[in-house]
Amino acid sequence: MFVLGLACMALLLSSCCRKQAPVAQEQALNEGLAPQITNIGARSGWLLDGEWKSIVDLYETGYYDYRRAPMPTGRTYFREDSFYDDPTQLVEIDFDRAPTLKVPGDWNTQRKDLYYYEGSVWYRRAFEVPQQEGKRYFLYFEGANYETVVGLNGKVLGKHTGGFTPFNFEITDGLRPGSNNVTAMVSNKRRLENVPTINFDWWNYGGLTRSVRVVETPATFIRDYSLQLKKGSMNTLAGWVQLDGAQAQQKVCVEIPELGLSQELSTDAKGYASFEVAAEPELWCPENPKLYAVCFKAETDSVSDRIGFRCIETRGNAIFLNGKQVFLRGVSVHDEQPLEGGGRAYSPEHARQTLQWVKEMNGNFVRLAHYPHNEAMIRTAEEMGIMVWSEIPVYWTIAWDNPDTYANAINQLSENITRDRNRCNIVIWSVANETPLSDARLKFLSGLIDKARELDDTRLVSAAMEKEYIDEEKALLTVVDPLAEKVDLMSFNQYVGWYDGDSDKCDRVTWTFRINKPVLISEFGGGAKAGRHGARNERFTEEYMEYMYQKNVAMLSRIPGLSGATPWILKDFRSPKRMLVGIQDDYNRKGVVSEFGEKKLAFYVMQDWYARLRDEYAAK
Ligand code: GCU
């Protein structure tokens, strides 16, 4: 999808009535966005969730002319109601009579005719918000998959690319008293140059999959901030504040009442101030997920958050949380509703059910695969004492040589870190999953790792690398990946017993590593349809899966420096790659829980292993 460059957009707006050749377009990643506002839930505003009018536009007739050139805004579907109500106009669509789609929510699970749909859908709704003089207004999207062009009251605001991170537009000037209309064209088309690319093992859920809201701020407000223990310290807090608005130089006070802390700052001409301050907070950990009420008070704005303080680090081949060695007792998770048979998750209720299963498994960790999950998942996990591996969808065969693809990945990483940097339970930023080795791939991922460390030095960085046999005869496995030098954890996926031999092969496999770092098995597992029983060598039976898990647990326990595991996967999930009728039926069946919440025998293998590890590490 091409978007009018902002400059030529203004030109076209002024001449939309005159017949005019479309202006040459540029392939833009993002257009018209305002800098991302963090902790959006703390902001006053109005949710625009609910039923939005929707029009399926497979050929993007509402955006391109018959020569496939983008049309001037005045000829697209981003029109004022007056156009649609004018009988003299050539109108070939009618939002008023269109069906609706619920927001938040993917379209694939809302309508049978959209089950496999990959293309563009127009969303539109009217809304009114009371406006105050001197205030600013933003239109904030928590997430939409995959490309989204947004218009307000007949004017295109801009575009966002990426299916799993928030974005916002300033609408202070475009908002009007009384009724406003917001229109969004969302496309989930897969493209080779996208992130992810065209091939991935999950359902390509499209749409306004997460909430939309209008947010009100003072003219100068606290747009972003960071507060955490200083890297490597447990008694010094380090942080910064970023104001947005004309009154950039202000006094800002950072208050943590429970610690009796009140730190005064003076922001510079760019509205920025950083600080360090001695403090002895009670540290956040799974056993005691302590969060502090923190208030950032500027002269013109204040914003509150609940922040936990913790120190995550590695020493040799072990991981330490707050100076105590930990084992990351985890499981991989897709961002799907836990009990509805699929569909994008978006609510605290969805998160609580999913994370309750993790707790029942005696887990203290989740790998949120393969893209940033909805914010409620991270915040609920933080409250429940569950650590998080957060990942961007640099998955499989990405277009490593394409600079736009790299810019897209950097942007998604930055948006993810901006949204979640103050969520203490995120302990790992992951930049990739199962990516084939090449020089271009190493350069691409090295850049992402450097960016992650630049944006946030308080967390570990990793990627799900791939294992290699260095001696097939002896079944000797290792990780031969130059990325291993750059990450903090030696994480990799291995499927001995499923894609790689049968379950008994696990007895013969041994592991060796040339680098002394903690090892995290980011995936292992195999499939079974819940309730399908048979011999333990019969694929897709619960008995096969249980036995294979038992053999894997024994094998993994022999790995030197094993410090974490996230078996693939907590719950059966929708994937178009899983077509075995009667068993898969469009579901990847590697969940230890079915898509309707039935626990399989393998669930209890993990529950038992993690109970033993919990007790072993508690005694350290
Ligand atoms: C890979 C991949 C997963 C996929 C899994 C599988 O490891 O990372 O996304 O679903 O294999 O084959 O089930």
Side-chain angles (χ1 to χ4, degrees):
M1 181 189 343
F2 290 85
V3 174
L4 315 180
L6 279 179
C8 51
M9 199 190 299
L11 173 70
L12 287 168
L13 288 181
S14 64
S15 60
C16 60
C17 47
R18 211 176 51 240
K19 182 122 177 84
Q20 96 146 21
V23 175
Q25 305 311 317
E26 62 195 26
Q27 175 71 29
L29 181 67
N30 293 323
E31 287 255 337
L33 297 179
Q36 190 177 334
I37 301 171
T38 50
N39 190 11
I40 203 68
R43 285 283 162 203
S44 60
W46 302 268
L47 270 178
L48 299 188
D49 290 350
E51 299 298 327
W52 287 50
K53 292 294 187 179
S54 62
I55 291 175
V56 176
D57 186 2
L58 185 59
Y59 284 68
E60 292 159 338
T61 306
Y63 195 81
Y64 296 97
D65 67 16
Y66 74 121
R67 302 290 193 219
R68 191 67 186 168
M71 294 183 285
T73 302
R75 289 177 43 211
T76 67
Y77 289 175
F78 293 109
R79 305 298 291 274
E80 281 283 27
D81 292 341
S82 53
F83 167 76
Y84 293 109
D85 299 339
D86 179 348
T88 67
Q89 291 288 352
L90 171 57
V91 178
E92 296 185 84
I93 58 153
D94 183 343
F95 276 105
D96 289 343
R97 285 188 287 173
T100 62
L101 283 170
K102 194 174 71 64
V103 173
D106 63 273
W107 59 58
N108 308 83
T109 52
Q110 289 193 53
R111 291 198 350 219
K112 285 208 177 323
D113 59 322
L114 300 179
Y115 181 75
Y116 283 117
Y117 184 67
E118 292 184 306
S120 289
V121 171
W122 292 84
Y123 288 81
R124 185 179 173 101
R125 65 156 289 167
F127 69 93
E128 289 191 28
V129 290
Q131 295 164 60
Q132 290 183 55
E133 194 55 40
K135 295 286 190 183
R136 293 168 69 184
Y137 296 87
F138 296 84
L139 191 55
Y140 183 96
F141 293 76
E142 292 190 18
N145 188 42
Y146 172 82
E147 284 178 346
T148 309
V149 181
V150 179
L152 177 74
N153 299 332
K155 290 186 177 58
V156 173
L157 297 174
K159 167 189 175 183
H160 179 264
T161 300
F164 307 97
T165 46
F167 53 99
N168 46 239
F169 300 95
E170 180 153 9
I171 56 173
T172 309
D173 299 337
L175 208 51
R176 62 191 176 204
S179 180
N180 296 271
N181 61 71
V182 54
T183 308
M185 178 169 81
V186 185
S187 167
N188 68 339
K189 268 184 191 164
R190 288 172 291 122
R191 289 185 170 85
L192 278 169
E193 69 274 17
N194 282 0
V195 177
T197 180
I198 57 170
N199 181 32
F200 43 86
D201 191 18
W202 68 83
W203 208 269
N204 180 29
Y205 292 114
L208 294 178
T209 49
R210 296 177 186 165
S211 289
V212 182
R213 67 184 75 206
V214 174
V215 165
E216 179 186 76
T217 72
T220 298
F221 67 101
I222 300 168
R223 186 187 74 223
D224 198 358
Y225 53 83
S226 173
L227 183 60
Q228 191 42 253
L229 283 174
K230 184 178 177 182
K231 183 177 177 59
S233 160
M234 282 187 260
N235 56 18
T236 306
L237 300 184
W240 52 261
V241 177
Q242 178 62 61
L243 303 185
D244 184 312
Q247 214 178 320
Q249 289 177 292
Q250 295 192 26
K251 292 258 177 284
V252 178
C253 191
V254 182
E255 294 178 355
I256 311 178
E258 201 179 334
L259 292 178
L261 189 149
S262 175
Q263 178 76 17
E264 186 147 304
L265 318 172
S266 297
T267 53
D268 62 19
K270 292 187 178 142
Y272 179 84
S274 63
F275 66 97
E276 288 186 10
V277 61
E280 304 269 347
E282 204 177 318
L283 301 183
W284 184 97
C285 65
E287 297 72 26
N288 176 25
K290 173 71 179 170
L291 298 175
Y292 283 90
V294 180
C295 188
F296 299 85
K297 284 182 181 168
E299 294 162 44
T300 58
D301 185 31
S302 70
V303 63
S304 299
D305 204 342
R306 296 174 68 232
I307 295 180
F309 302 108
R310 54 90 190 103
C311 171
I312 187 79
E313 56 192 347
T314 62
R315 296 178 204 159
N317 66 359
I319 301 174
F320 289 80
L321 177 68
N322 304 332
K324 190 171 183 320
Q325 191 179 355
V326 289
F327 190 100
L328 302 180
R329 310 191 306 271
V331 63
S332 293
V333 177
H334 261 302
D335 197 18
E336 275 197 347
Q337 297 181 35
L339 294 169
E340 309 304 319
R344 277 281 169 251
Y346 50 78
S347 73
E349 294 69 29
H350 295 149
R352 251 188 297 284
Q353 174 57 69
T354 296
L355 295 167
Q356 182 49 41
W357 287 330
V358 177
K359 286 278 192 184
E360 286 174 37
M361 194 190 280
N362 297 314
N364 62 6
F365 179 61
V366 281
R367 173 176 176 238
L368 300 185
H370 285 292
Y371 38 74
H373 285 211
N374 73 89
E375 188 172 356
M377 171 58 95
I378 289 64
R379 285 187 177 265
T380 306
E382 188 179 47
E383 289 162 13
M384 292 175 69
I386 294 177
M387 294 176 281
V388 165
W389 159 305
S390 179
E391 186 164 293
I392 54 170
V394 175
Y395 181 98
W396 290 356
T397 53
I398 292 286
W400 307 112
D401 290 310
N402 183 323
D404 291 340
T405 305
Y406 180 71
N408 187 342
I410 285 281
N411 185 62
Q412 292 192 41
L413 177 71
S414 306
E415 289 178 344
N416 186 31
I417 292 177
T418 298
R419 185 192 73 177
D420 291 342
R421 86 163 49 83
N422 293 306
R423 306 282 66 80
C424 67
N425 61 324
I426 294 180
V427 292
I428 298 166
W429 300 120
S430 166
V431 298
N433 178 70
E434 286 194 352
T435 50
L437 306 193
S438 73
D439 292 345
R441 168 262 196 189
L442 179 60
K443 181 168 179 272
F444 191 106
L445 298 188
S446 300
L448 290 177
I449 289 171
D450 294 345
K451 185 68 177 176
R453 294 196 197 284
E454 173 205 320
L455 291 175
D456 167 50
D457 67 358
T458 73
R459 291 175 175 87
L460 308 178
V461 178
S462 193
M465 299 179 280
E466 291 187 303
K467 54 108 185 62
E468 302 290 337
Y469 279 101
I470 47 180
D471 184 326
E472 289 274 359
E473 242 341 90
K474 293 182 189 150
L476 180 59
L477 273 167
T478 188
V479 169
V480 180
D481 187 334
L483 204 64
E485 314 285 345
K486 294 179 171 285
V487 295
D488 296 306
L489 299 180
M490 183 85 71
S491 307
F492 57 93
N493 303 342
Q494 65 81 26
Y495 281 91
V496 180
W498 187 255
Y499 295 121
D500 176 3
D502 65 9
S503 304
D504 290 327
K505 180 173 183 180
C506 294
D507 295 341
R508 294 190 294 107
V509 169
T510 51
W511 301 81
T512 179
F513 300 100
R514 57 188 170 76
I515 296 179
N516 185 38
K517 288 182 179 176
V519 174
L520 190 151
I521 308 297
S522 37
E523 290 182 29
F524 70 89
K529 182 166 171 64
R532 187 173 189 269
H533 297 285
R536 68 186 190 189
N537 65 348
E538 184 183 350
R539 296 274 181 157
F540 288 108
T541 62
E542 286 202 41
E543 284 73 17
Y544 184 100
M545 190 176 174
E546 178 191 38
Y547 183 62
M548 187 263 295
Y549 263 72
Q550 288 163 345
K551 288 295 188 181
N552 260 272
V553 164
M555 171 184 72
L556 300 180
S557 302
R558 298 196 297 270
I559 290 180
L562 182 72
S563 301
T566 49
W568 190 261
I569 188 171
L570 177 62
K571 180 189 76 71
D572 291 352
F573 62 95
R574 290 263 297 269
S575 167
K577 296 173 74 73
R578 307 296 170 174
M579 299 87 81
L580 182 58
V581 171
I583 290 183
Q584 293 175 322
D585 299 317
D586 290 344
Y587 283 91
N588 183 315
R589 293 285 180 204
K590 295 186 184 70
V592 293
V593 178
S594 79
E595 71 276 26
F596 297 113
E598 306 148 289
K599 295 186 180 74
K600 304 174 192 175
L601 295 174
F603 179 94
Y604 303 100
V605 176
M606 292 309 299
Q607 185 183 59
D608 171 60
W609 185 32
Y610 282 171
R612 286 184 279 121
L613 282 167
R614 177 198 59 210
D615 299 344
E616 178 190 330
Y617 276 73
K620 279 189 185 266

